[in-house]
């Protein structure tokens, strides 16, 4: 399943129109009407891109744009009533990839989204950011925080991504749960180290052909986990 486009917009009517246009162009969408909601959506699933209204009830979209850039690398299009040159420049400085002033044409928005996604595709195809395993069966893009299995994009949470990236950075090496907690979960860690098991279980559902007989994420009984994929030679 393709990651969704996150629409952050407190004007429900406008959000509905944007959603309809994006879905008409075959994008999956999720909607958030506050900054808080947007952060929750991002923690659940990294989006393909975000369309961000700058005037939100619980904070500024500028702040949110920074949070986005810390969570993962995906393009952001800012949508705003502000139109002064200084404000536009501030938006770009925060990492916005494009900027549209309201009232914006939804059709133009879809075109601009396609354009930033294409630019992104080109910019991040550098092989430094991509690791491929088992003849391309599993591909990780560490810049875009994206995973594909057998050529199809897999939607993962930021925690799942970090966990998989940690394990896959040293194929064949056994990591203890403690190590995985500190390396992959870091400050986000809220439970005890068995919470790793739940993330591994979810990841297996997403990337293993048969989650009960995993080919990538193997359990090392009494110790932890290891990544058993074979890195592809270039
Ligand atoms: Ca608004």
């Amino acid at each position: 399943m393709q990651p969704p486009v996150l629409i952050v917009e407190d004007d429900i009517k406008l959000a509905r129109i944007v959603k309809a246009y994006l879905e008409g162009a075959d994008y999956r969408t999720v909607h958030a009407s506050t900054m808080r909601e947007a952060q929750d959506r991002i923690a659940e699933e990294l989006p393909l891109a975000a369309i961000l209204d700058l005037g939100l009830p619980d904070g500024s979209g500028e702040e949110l744009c920074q949070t986005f850039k810390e969570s993962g690398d995906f393009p952001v299009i800012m949508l705003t009533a502000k139109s002064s040159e200084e404000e536009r420049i501030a938006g770009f400085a925060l990492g916005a990839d494009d900027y549209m002033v309201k009232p914006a044409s939804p059709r133009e928005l879809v075109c601009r989204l396609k354009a930033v996604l294409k630019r992104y595709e080109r910019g991040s195809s550098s092989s430094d950011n991509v690791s491929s395993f088992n003849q391309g069966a599993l591909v990780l893009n560490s810049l875009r925080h994206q995973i594909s299995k057998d050529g199809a994009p897999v939607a993962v949470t930021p925690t799942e991504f970090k966990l998989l990236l940690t394990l896959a950075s040293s194929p064949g090496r056994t990591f203890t749960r403690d190590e995985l907690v500190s390396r992959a979960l870091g400050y986000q860690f809220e439970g005890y180290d068995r919470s790793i098991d739940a993330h591994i279980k979810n990841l297996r559902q997403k990337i293993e052909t048969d989650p009960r007989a995993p080919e990538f994420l193997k359990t090392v009984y009494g110790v932890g986990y290891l990544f058993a994929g074979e890195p592809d030679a270039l």
Side-chain angles (χ1 to χ4, degrees):
M1 199 167 39
Q2 171 113 337
V5 176
L6 173 65
I7 304 165
V8 190
E9 173 60 75
D10 60 323
D11 179 340
I12 300 300
K13 225 169 92 189
L14 188 58
R16 257 192 225 136
I17 296 171
V18 172
K19 182 175 148 74
Y21 270 85
L22 291 180
E23 289 178 355
D26 280 335
Y27 292 104
R28 194 156 71 86
T29 63
V30 287
H31 172 244
S33 47
T34 62
M35 196 161 131
R36 166 60 71 88
E37 256 180 55
Q39 282 164 332
D40 289 348
R41 295 290 91 77
I42 295 262
E44 284 161 9
E45 188 176 10
L46 273 176
L48 185 66
I51 302 199
L52 176 59
D53 172 32
L54 283 192
L56 295 170
D58 59 343
S60 78
E62 283 97 337
E63 240 175 285
L64 191 56
C65 191
Q66 258 168 340
T67 312
F68 282 177
K69 291 295 160 182
E70 286 158 17
S71 314
D73 205 23
F74 50 86
V76 176
I77 299 179
M78 283 187 176
L79 200 56
T80 178
K82 299 172 182 174
S83 65
S84 80
E85 191 185 35
E86 289 76 37
E87 282 158 335
R88 283 173 196 245
I89 290 168
F92 284 119
L94 286 172
D97 297 86
D98 204 350
Y99 203 99
M100 284 182 81
V101 176
K102 287 180 185 174
S105 142
R107 229 186 277 170
E108 186 184 347
L109 179 64
V110 171
C111 288
R112 290 197 185 210
L113 175 66
K114 284 184 179 160
V116 293
L117 286 171
K118 213 176 259 174
R119 278 207 310 266
Y120 242 67
E121 202 73 61
R122 274 203 296 271
S124 67
S125 60
S126 151
S127 58
D128 298 355
N129 308 313
V130 178
S131 342
S132 164
F133 301 92
N134 295 18
Q135 282 90 51
L138 183 69
V139 178
L140 310 185
N141 183 321
S142 61
L143 183 68
R144 290 177 65 188
H145 286 217
Q146 282 172 2
I147 296 175
S148 67
K149 174 75 203 307
D150 297 329
V154 175
V156 289
T157 67
T159 301
E160 287 164 3
F161 187 83
K162 273 191 226 161
L163 185 56
L164 182 59
L165 194 66
T166 302
L167 285 159
S169 63
S170 304
R173 175 191 184 295
T174 300
F175 287 85
T176 65
R177 289 184 177 79
D178 273 348
E179 274 179 306
L180 291 173
V181 164
S182 63
R183 288 186 189 216
L185 306 193
Y187 68 94
Q188 288 179 20
F189 175 62
E190 285 160 8
Y192 64 123
D193 63 0
R194 291 275 159 179
S195 68
I196 288 286
D197 297 1
H199 293 301
I200 293 279
K201 193 174 166 210
N202 291 339
L203 268 172
R204 280 178 176 154
Q205 296 292 338
K206 295 176 180 183
I207 66 164
E208 300 288 0
T209 306
D210 178 0
R212 284 162 306 174
E215 110 189 77
F216 296 109
L217 297 172
K218 303 230 188 221
T219 303
V220 181
Y221 290 97
V223 188
Y225 295 98
L226 69 77
F227 181 81
E230 281 287 330
D232 293 328
L234 288 177

